[in-house]
């Protein structure tokens, strides 16, 4: 099968998967065309996922289809952007129709779910690598940046943390129990917080998605905003399956493990009071922004200080 036929068969259907009418011209020409409203800003980001680095060797292609788009879409959520479309550069060792069919199925399911349509792409031979560029829009000047955190703001996270990190222990387990299945689902099918992100526009002072771990990603906000933070470990939202599986280690996973794709945001106490209840209920306050530099972690009456720049390898 030639390259063009391969793309047409498996990927053209995904061009219709999204709900957006912003794509005037999808795959098949030299470029795609996206119409951008004059009162909007275009927000875009590219992610490359490499086999053996960002996902395991021989990873299920259907799960990879979902996960590869979810990971990219999560960056749109962090900016408060409404999803529009994406492009895919697919590097594959060989054109295995079964693999392509399963990958395209997972990708199409995710594309429909997130409201992203495939606008174009490219395929090449080589070690398995998926590069996805996502486009979204926000009303002019309303993208949520990392640099807006202010002293006195609450620090909040969505959902629960640490589940995807715990799942790494069970990826090759033959017969996972219910708790293991629950955390594995968080790893295989991350849910980017797109509607939460857009609901936080004009409300959150800063935001980041948690791809590398809470401490590391909150660290990006602190550095961009020139502030410090105090975190209360006892307030971290932990799922029941994670608590049962990981015990004492659950806190470390929630602080340091990546792959959850929840949002970490800052918000002033006043804006928090005015949040609609359905938005507030998706968030947990875990600490506050303070003046200075670095991150202080409060745990059972003890405090541990991490200097600015020391966020990458924290172990509680
Ligand atoms: Mg990100």
């Amino acid at each position: 099968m030639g390259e063009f036929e391969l793309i047409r068969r498996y990927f053209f259907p995904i061009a219709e998967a999204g709900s957006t009418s912003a794509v005037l011209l999808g795959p098949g020409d030299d470029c795609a065309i996206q119409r951008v409203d004059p009162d909007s800003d275009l927000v875009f980001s590219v992610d490359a996922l490499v086999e053996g680095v960002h996902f395991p060797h021989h990873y299920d292609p259907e799960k990879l289809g979902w996960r590869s788009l979810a990971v990219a879409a999560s960056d749109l959520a962090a900016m408060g952007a409404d999803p529009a479309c994406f492009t895919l550069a697919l590097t594959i060792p060989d054109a295995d129709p079964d693999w392509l069919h399963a990958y395209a199925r997972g990708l199409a399911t995710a594309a429909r779910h997130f409201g992203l349509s495939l606008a174009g792409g490219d395929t090449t031979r080589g070690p398995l690598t998926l590069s996805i560029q996502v486009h979204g829009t926000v009303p002019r000047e309303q993208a949520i940046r990392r640099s807006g955190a202010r002293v006195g703001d609450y620090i909040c996270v969505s959902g629960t943390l640490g589940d995807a990190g715990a799942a790494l222990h069970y990826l090759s387990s033959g017969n996972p129990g219910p708790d293991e299945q629950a955390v594995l689902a968080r790893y295989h099918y991350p849910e980017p917080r797109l509607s939460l992100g857009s609901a936080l526009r004009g409300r959150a002072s800063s935001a980041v998605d948690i791809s590398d771990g809470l401490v590391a990603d909150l660290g990006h906000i602190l550095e961009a905003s020139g502030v410090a933070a105090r975190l209360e470990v006892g307030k971290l939202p932990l799922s029941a399956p994670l608590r049962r599986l990981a015990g004492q280690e659950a806190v470390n996973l929630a602080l340091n493990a990546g792959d959850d794709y929840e949002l970490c945001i800052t918000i002033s106490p006043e804006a928090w009071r005015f949040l609609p209840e359905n938005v507030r209920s998706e968030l947990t306050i875990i600490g506050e922004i303070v003046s200075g530099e670095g991150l202080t972690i409060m745990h059972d009456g003890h405090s541990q200080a991490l200097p600015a720049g020391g966020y990458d390898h924290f172990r509680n």
Side-chain angles (χ1 to χ4, degrees):
M1 200 186 323
E3 182 195 348
F4 187 72
E5 184 52 32
L6 187 151
I7 292 171
R8 189 210 296 272
R9 178 175 304 185
Y10 294 110
F11 293 101
F12 272 27
I14 306 172
E16 277 92 57
S19 59
T20 176
S21 57
V23 179
L24 300 187
L25 185 62
D29 210 311
D30 293 297
C31 288
I33 304 174
Q34 179 187 356
R35 179 152 294 167
V36 182
D37 186 284
D39 297 321
S40 293
D41 291 330
L42 177 64
V43 175
F44 56 98
S45 162
V46 67
D47 263 290
L49 299 184
V50 180
E51 182 178 44
V53 179
H54 302 99
F55 58 92
H57 287 279
H58 310 297
Y59 188 58
D60 181 314
E62 187 166 1
K63 294 186 175 81
L64 186 60
W66 176 284
R67 200 160 176 275
S68 57
L69 190 59
V71 165
S74 180
D75 285 323
L76 293 178
M79 303 300 288
D82 297 318
C85 59
F86 69 102
T87 56
L88 166 70
L90 181 62
T91 305
I92 43 177
D94 51 60
D96 172 357
D98 290 341
W99 190 96
L100 281 168
H101 186 57
Y103 178 76
R105 199 166 51 223
L107 189 70
T109 306
R112 270 193 302 275
H113 194 75
F114 307 148
L116 283 162
S117 56
L118 181 70
D122 188 25
T123 53
T124 45
R125 291 284 164 101
L128 181 58
T129 303
L130 309 140
S131 297
I132 293 185
Q133 170 143 333
V134 284
H135 284 197
T137 58
V138 293
R140 202 181 263 217
E141 301 289 342
Q142 283 197 30
I144 308 170
R145 304 179 187 204
R146 294 177 175 181
S147 55
R150 295 293 174 262
V151 173
D153 285 354
Y154 295 142
I155 301 165
C156 308
V157 292
S158 61
T160 61
L161 301 181
D163 301 74
L168 295 177
H169 298 295
Y170 309 111
L171 282 178
S172 52
S173 98
N175 188 18
D179 285 340
E180 285 133 359
Q181 285 177 29
V183 297
L184 281 165
R186 292 289 309 275
Y187 179 86
H188 294 312
Y189 299 105
E191 288 270 359
R193 295 284 189 162
L194 288 159
S195 55
L196 177 63
S198 84
L200 288 167
R201 283 199 305 254
R203 293 177 162 131
S205 53
S206 72
V208 68
D209 65 318
I210 302 175
S211 53
D212 297 332
L214 173 64
V215 167
D217 290 313
L218 174 59
H220 297 316
I221 288 181
L222 303 184
E223 281 171 7
S225 300
V227 291
R230 192 157 50 221
L231 276 192
E232 299 272 352
V233 162
K235 293 184 175 169
L236 290 172
L238 306 174
S239 73
L242 177 68
R243 287 176 191 274
R244 286 192 291 265
L245 289 171
Q248 296 289 321
E249 183 63 14
V251 162
N252 274 329
L253 289 166
L255 286 170
N256 298 303
D259 295 325
D260 284 316
Y261 297 99
E262 296 292 349
L263 295 183
C264 174
I265 67 140
T266 60
I267 185 168
S268 71
E270 188 186 24
W272 173 262
R273 275 197 299 281
F274 287 106
L275 273 187
E277 181 49 38
N278 66 316
V279 177
R280 202 185 321 185
S281 68
E282 290 190 56
L283 295 164
T284 305
I285 299 175
I286 58 166
E288 67 172 329
I289 295 294
V290 295
S291 61
E293 286 189 336
L295 177 58
T296 303
I297 297 185
M298 318 287 293
H299 195 187
D300 291 338
H302 301 284
S303 73
Q304 184 175 351
L306 286 176
Y311 309 123
D312 286 348
H313 303 290
F314 173 70
R315 294 290 295 170
N316 184 52

